Structure formats: C-alpha cells, structure tokens
Amino acid sequence: MNILLIGSGGREHALAWAISGSPLCDRLFIAPGNPGTAQCGENVVLDIADHKAVADFCKLQRIDLVVVGPEGPLVAGIADDLAAAGIKVFGPSKAAAQLEGSKAFTKELCAEFAIPTAGFGRFRDAAAAKAYVAAQGAPIVIKADGLAAGKGVVMAETLEEANEAIEMMFGGGLGAAGAEVVIEEWMIGEEASFFALCDGTHALALASAQDHKRVGDGDTGPNTGGMGAYSPAPVMTKALEEQVMAEIVRPTLAGMAKRGTPFKGVLFAGLMITAQGPKLIEYNVRFGDPECEVLMPRLKSDIVPALLASCDGVLDTFDLRWSDETALTVVLAAKGYPGKPETGTVIKGIEQAEAQDDVLVFHAGTKQDATGAILSHGGRVLNVVATAKSVSEAQAKAYRGVDAIDWPGGFCRRDIGWQAVKRERES
Ligand code: AMP
Ligand code: GLY
C-alpha cells in the first residue's frame, strides 16, 4: 500500500523509519519531511494547510493511508477533510482533537466523567481569575486554554507570579490561545507519559515514557519541546498502567463516544503519579516528540496493521509486542534554542554516530545543501537514540553516539535519564 506521512520533525523520522520497515508499505511519502525521512521514503512539497491539495495528492498517488504526525493539522480538521474525500486517515477528527486543542474542553470532560485530574476553574476575564487565585492561594498553575507551543503554562509559586501570568495571557501575550484561562491546583508527584492507540471505542495500551522539558542539566532553565526522553518510564508499573487505562483512558474514550465525537488515533496522556494515584495533567492527540523516537525502536510488531486497525475500529482484536529494553534519546539542539536558534551551521559525524552499537539517529530540524552537507534548520535538530538492557547502559550508549557527532553549532543536555539512572543505582 501507499502511505503519506505528514510532518517534518524527529517524531516523523521515527514514524517513517517504522512504517518503511513494514512489508505492507510499497511507497511512503512524507510531506514535507526532512533529510532523515528522505532515507525512508520520498519527501514531497505540499501545503499541509491546504487540505484540498493534500486530498488531490492522495488521489494522484493512490494513497491508501494518511498518518498525521503533529497536532496543528489535526486541530485544523485535516482528518475530517481527508475522510470526506474518501481517504483513510490515522488521527482524530477536529472535534476529538479538542482534547489537545482546548485545556478547558479536557477539564470539563474530566469533570463530567469523573476522570482524576487537578482541581480547576476556567475564566474569560482577569478580575474573576485573580479573585479565584486570591481565594485558592499559591502555589498554583495558570494555563492558556488554546495551543501555545508549550509556552502556555505558568507554574506560579506566588500570588504575584500568578497575577502577572493572568495579565500576560488576557493582555494578549499568547495571542488567541489566552482568550480563556484555566487555573489549576498544583499537583505533586512524578510525571510520566502514557500512550494508547484508540479506534473510537477500544483502546490498546502502547507504552510509557518520561521526557525532560527544561533546556538545562538538572532540569533547569526554560521549558522546551523536550530535550530527551526514555521508555519505559520506571515509575509506571504494570498495575499503574492498568489503573491509568481503567480510570483515565477508557473513561475518556467512552465519554468522547457518548458525546458523539469518538476519538481515533494516539492518545498521549501526560500524568502526575500522586500519592492519591495517577492523575491527568493534559492530553495530546498524537505521538510525543521526542517520546515517539524512543517508542518506535521498542516496538517489535509491524506498526502499519495497528494504524489500520485504529482507523477501522478493530483494535479489540489486536495486540502489539514491545521490547523490554530501554530506549533513550538525547536531543541535539541548535545554540540559542529555545530562544532564537542559529540555523545553517554544518553538522558532521551522523554516520559515525549511527555506526555505534544500538544507536539510531533521527533528524528533526535539518536540511541538506546542494553539496550533500547537513545543516541545522530549526531548534531541535537531531535525536540520538540508543537501546539497552538498562537505562544506565542506554544512556552511556546514546552519549557515545552524541560524542561522535561533530557540530560546534549545537548543544545537548548531558544528563538525560538521570532520575531513572539514580533509581537503578539505588535498587
Ligand atoms: P502541560 O502543557 O499542561 O503539560 O504542562 C506543562 C508542564 O507543566 C507539565 O508537564 C507539568 O510539569 C507542569 N504542570 C502542568 N499542570 C500542572 C499541575 N496542575 N500541577 C503540577 N504540575 C503541572
Ligand atoms: N514532548 C512533549 C510533546 O510532544 O508534547
């Protein structure tokens, strides 16, 4: 079959790598892709925002399945428009993508279907929001309702910080995303991500992961899209996974179906493992980036039938095999990230990194010039992924890969996986 994958990040290189390994896949196109995805299929220039152009391409190339990587096109309704044109799409409808597109939507769903999450209030004006914060006290969490590229959450330790965040959001600091603000109880615990494949009715547990959002070693500095990740998350025991499926994932699917907006695709639950059990922080409606880069190398089964089963509503008869090994990815970012990354700097040594034992390199913001050289072309630029029997070993292997890369214009964290390594040493 012919498959079109939409997106251009490290997540999409990992997906392209997994999909292109399927005996079911004849031709794989990636729009727009990156130099890494070009090794797995054919990159195509398509305006993703023009859903009709995407549908026309699918008809021309006889595409049997479209896989949507990022949330932007899903929230914009690409799955609905392609489905209306008779094209099979892996990913949720616009209505179901509201689970990521609107934090208030998700909080209301949790309230309606008794899904454990932080206590909250939602506000459309600063005065009411400030009165709520004054009554609740600090610390407290202030969130813009809409998509804000990871910048929409302020963890306010004091009332002043909370009020400043409220003024910034209602003052237009985050554009339309801040027209509504959600204020939440600050939950305490260890964070984990959990992924489930959904077909509208059934959910199949995939795997867990943990990421590092802060730019600096020791989890310091500003938030980023993610500087590294590993899977599985040691905190997620089998029993906890079952609890998350029973108390969070399945009630969400049932609630979405009951409302007439069934959820299909990957449900990515951001969880806080609190003393009272797992609670939902937020949902994303797609694979995480860089979490996908550590899930794909652990997936032993063919991914394509699983994606098709999600589209066709037959996940209840499905199972997937996973490696017990740990996969760990270190993100190499361009200097300046997450502010203004320096682009156009030359990267060497990717092949040397891949020549290391059990190491894969997934591209994100790279481009290839006319001479074939690889240049930085974004904030997060490469993922160096290693698999091993323990987190400590995966970490050591990943950094051996990183050290083979010659890129003076880039940097990475040197401590990805530190909590899990510490846990291993102490056990
Ligand atoms: P979000 O974009 O909602 O995932 O939030 C980004 C990060 O902020 C999360 O990964 C958590 O580290 C933190 N966070 C968000 N909401 C809460 C909360 N209610 N309590 C504690 N931490 C939170
Ligand atoms: N790494 C977090 C995300 O993909 O949203």
Side-chain angles (χ1 to χ4, degrees):
M1 58 193 293
N2 296 335
I3 300 175
L4 170 65
L5 171 64
I6 291 181
S8 63
R11 165 181 51 214
E12 285 74 27
H13 187 184
L15 285 171
W17 174 78
I19 292 170
S20 65
S22 168
L24 292 173
C25 180
D26 296 313
R27 286 181 84 181
L28 172 64
F29 298 92
I30 310 96
N34 63 39
T37 64
Q39 298 162 11
C40 309
E42 302 162 58
N43 287 350
V44 288
V45 181
L46 258 179
D47 178 4
I48 302 309
D50 182 350
H51 298 174
K52 175 155 185 326
V54 178
D56 289 345
F57 174 85
C58 291
K59 290 195 176 133
L60 185 70
Q61 296 293 348
R62 299 177 189 281
I63 297 295
D64 302 291
L65 173 67
V66 178
V67 180
V68 186
E71 65 279 14
L74 294 167
V75 172
I78 197 167
D80 309 67
D81 292 337
L82 293 180
I87 298 156
K88 195 172 277 195
V89 193
F90 176 78
S93 67
K94 182 176 182 168
Q98 284 300 97
L99 282 174
E100 175 162 359
S102 164
K103 295 191 189 291
F105 175 93
T106 298
K107 298 301 283 190
E108 294 296 348
L109 187 93
C110 290
E112 186 178 342
F113 297 100
I115 296 163
T117 187
F120 73 104
R122 45 189 290 205
F123 303 93
R124 291 199 158 271
D125 70 85
K130 286 185 184 173
Y132 181 81
V133 161
Q136 296 292 317
I140 197 157
V141 183
I142 316 291
K143 299 185 175 184
D145 176 60
L147 291 181
K151 300 187 178 72
V153 175
V154 175
M155 309 287 295
E157 307 218 11
T158 62
L159 286 180
E160 292 74 62
E161 281 172 38
N163 287 331
E164 260 171 47
I166 290 168
E167 275 168 26
M168 178 274 285
M169 289 181 194
F170 283 117
L174 297 171
E180 179 164 349
V181 166
V182 173
I183 302 182
E184 291 183 5
E185 159 206 355
W186 182 317
M187 297 185 285
I188 306 290
E190 185 166 348
E191 276 185 64
S193 302
F194 187 70
F195 297 83
L197 210 54
C198 303
D199 70 2
T201 313
H202 318 100
L204 176 66
L206 294 177
S208 62
Q210 275 172 310
D211 75 343
H212 292 270
K213 290 195 172 71
R214 303 297 191 98
V215 75
D217 283 2
D219 295 318
T220 55
N223 265 328
T224 69
M227 295 300 291
Y230 49 97
S231 173
V235 65
M236 286 295 286
T237 58
K238 206 73 221 140
L240 261 179
E241 279 195 20
E242 271 156 28
Q243 196 179 352
V244 168
M245 288 298 283
E247 294 178 6
I248 299 180
V249 174
R250 282 194 215 106
T252 297
L253 268 199
M256 292 297 283
K258 188 162 174 228
R259 286 179 169 192
T261 53
F263 182 88
K264 289 183 171 199
V266 183
L267 195 58
F268 165 177
L271 302 170
M272 188 70 83
I273 312 304
T274 73
Q276 299 87 45
K279 291 190 184 182
L280 182 71
I281 300 173
E282 62 153 5
Y283 274 131
N284 297 305
V285 299
R286 40 140 186 113
F287 282 108
D289 192 350
E291 289 87 342
C292 190
E293 291 91 309
V294 287
L295 292 190
M296 291 306 119
R298 292 189 55 227
L299 178 60
K300 293 288 162 209
S301 308
D302 185 348
I303 191 174
V304 172
L307 301 177
L308 290 171
S310 157
C311 298
D312 296 341
V314 294
L315 272 178
D316 55 330
T317 60
F318 223 81
D319 207 5
L320 288 170
R321 284 180 306 113
W322 294 86
S323 156
D324 291 335
E325 293 202 337
T326 292
L328 182 143
T329 182
V330 178
V331 170
L332 275 77
K335 282 185 181 161
Y337 179 75
K340 198 178 170 324
E342 263 173 57
T343 57
T345 55
V346 178
I347 305 163
K348 292 186 189 150
I350 294 175
E351 280 159 26
Q352 285 79 343
E354 286 177 315
Q356 306 281 318
D357 284 344
D358 307 313
V359 170
L360 288 165
V361 178
F362 292 129
H363 290 236
T366 61
K367 83 171 186 194
Q368 195 157 24
D369 72 9
T371 68
I374 298 292
L375 309 177
S376 66
H377 191 55
R380 292 186 292 165
V381 173
L382 292 173
N383 285 271
V384 179
V385 188
T387 47
K389 291 222 165 0
S390 67
V391 189
S392 325
E393 228 183 301
Q395 185 194 52
K397 282 181 176 173
Y399 282 109
R400 275 202 287 279
V402 166
D403 292 336
I405 290 178
D406 171 14
W407 180 29
F411 73 97
C412 67
R413 280 182 57 165
R414 297 298 309 188
D415 64 346
I416 298 303
W418 67 267
Q419 301 100 320
V421 168
K422 185 162 166 263
R423 194 186 280 249
E424 255 173 23
R425 292 217 176 105
E426 287 166 359
S427 70

